[in-house]
Amino acid sequence: APSDVRVLRHELAEKLGEIVAAKAESSESAISNHQLRNRLNRATLGLHLLQRQLEVGAQQDADATLDKVLREFQSLDEVLASGKSSVPRPRRRALLVEDDANESELLAGFLRMSGFDVDTACDGCDALGYLAESKQPDIVLLDMQMPCCDGPTTISAIRENPKFGDLRVFGVSGREPAEVGVTIGPEGVNRWFRKPINPQSLVRQLHRDLELAASPT
């Protein structure tokens, strides 16, 4: 076939199905096998639909189906590679400290859709007041450049208070830590995120860090 024509062999769906099914059987995440098989079923159905669409020349529909199938297999691969169940994680509590109201609203919305319960503060003073009066969150996402009380000042106040000794603080800035006088470690922030933020990458890193912190040493 010409190089610009997609070719789908008849046995492709069954072969891919066998490969992924074998991985599912060998995965340590036995409790997730039902969910994995449901995803596998969607992917294999999509491959068979793709084959029919190509046979009748429905190229545009085939392209859309192929995109869905590839996303499904990518999701399967991530779950199998991690060896973990795709059961939703327990919700974590986050305090988002950001003086830009639009940015705060958008990021808070994304975090909530990603399994976090989120409260917001408009600057460091507001954040310190929240921490003094409310249950300690799992994480604080702290912008560096804010009026009234900026990020570095807020970090110093948090680290000087024994009550917040285990509070995980993540710095967010368009600059590097050294440029704003912040360290990464016990006296500073636990992790640094450079703006512009990729929200999906941010959420993955937050979950990974919180899971590591919760793991027994």
Side-chain angles (χ1 to χ4, degrees):
S3 60
D4 60 340
V5 175
R6 298 172 187 260
V7 177
L8 181 67
R9 295 180 60 182
H10 181 74
E11 68 272 17
L12 177 59
E14 293 181 2
K15 188 64 176 177
L16 284 174
E18 291 172 3
I19 293 172
V20 178
K23 287 186 177 181
E25 290 296 335
S26 63
S27 171
E28 295 179 359
S29 304
I31 60 173
S32 66
N33 276 352
H34 176 69
Q35 292 171 324
L36 290 175
R37 288 187 179 280
N38 283 343
R39 290 184 177 184
L40 175 60
N41 185 58
R42 290 195 295 268
T44 52
L45 285 173
L47 285 170
H48 285 289
L49 173 60
L50 174 62
Q51 181 179 347
R52 290 296 179 88
Q53 290 169 334
L54 290 172
E55 288 172 351
V56 300
Q59 187 66 48
Q60 186 173 359
D61 291 338
D63 287 340
T65 300
L66 179 59
D67 287 339
K68 292 179 181 178
V69 171
L70 290 176
R71 286 197 299 270
E72 200 66 55
F73 274 107
Q74 181 180 8
S75 177
L76 274 165
D77 184 64
E78 290 173 356
V79 173
L80 291 169
S82 68
K84 296 179 181 178
S85 169
S86 57
V87 175
R89 298 178 175 94
R91 296 186 72 86
R92 302 282 195 164
R93 296 181 62 252
L95 174 63
L96 173 60
V97 189
E98 169 61 61
D99 64 305
D100 186 300
N102 289 333
E103 184 175 337
S104 177
E105 181 181 357
L106 290 170
L107 183 53
F110 189 88
L111 290 170
R112 290 181 181 116
M113 293 295 293
S114 303
F116 288 88
D117 291 325
V118 184
D119 289 318
T120 60
C122 61
D123 58 32
C125 291
D126 194 19
L128 292 172
Y130 172 94
L131 292 173
E133 299 173 2
S134 306
K135 180 181 177 181
Q136 182 170 304
D138 294 294
I139 60 169
V140 175
L141 273 173
L142 180 65
D143 186 40
M144 292 294 109
Q145 294 178 285
M146 298 179 293
C148 181
C149 181
D150 63 11
T153 303
T154 306
I155 293 168
S156 296
I158 290 174
R159 296 312 185 201
E160 290 172 0
N161 190 333
K163 176 183 176 182
F164 306 130
D166 60 347
L167 180 59
R168 307 192 70 75
V169 181
F170 301 91
V172 180
S173 176
R175 303 165 68 185
E176 295 295 338
E179 295 181 72
V180 296
V182 172
T183 60
I184 299 178
E187 302 300 320
V189 295
N190 297 89
R191 189 179 289 275
W192 191 264
F193 296 101
R194 183 77 183 267
K195 292 184 179 181
I197 292 174
N198 179 324
Q200 293 179 327
S201 177
L202 170 69
V203 166
R204 284 196 299 270
Q205 292 287 349
L206 293 180
H207 279 305
R208 184 178 297 117
D209 196 279
L210 288 170
E211 288 170 359
L212 288 173
S215 299
T217 56

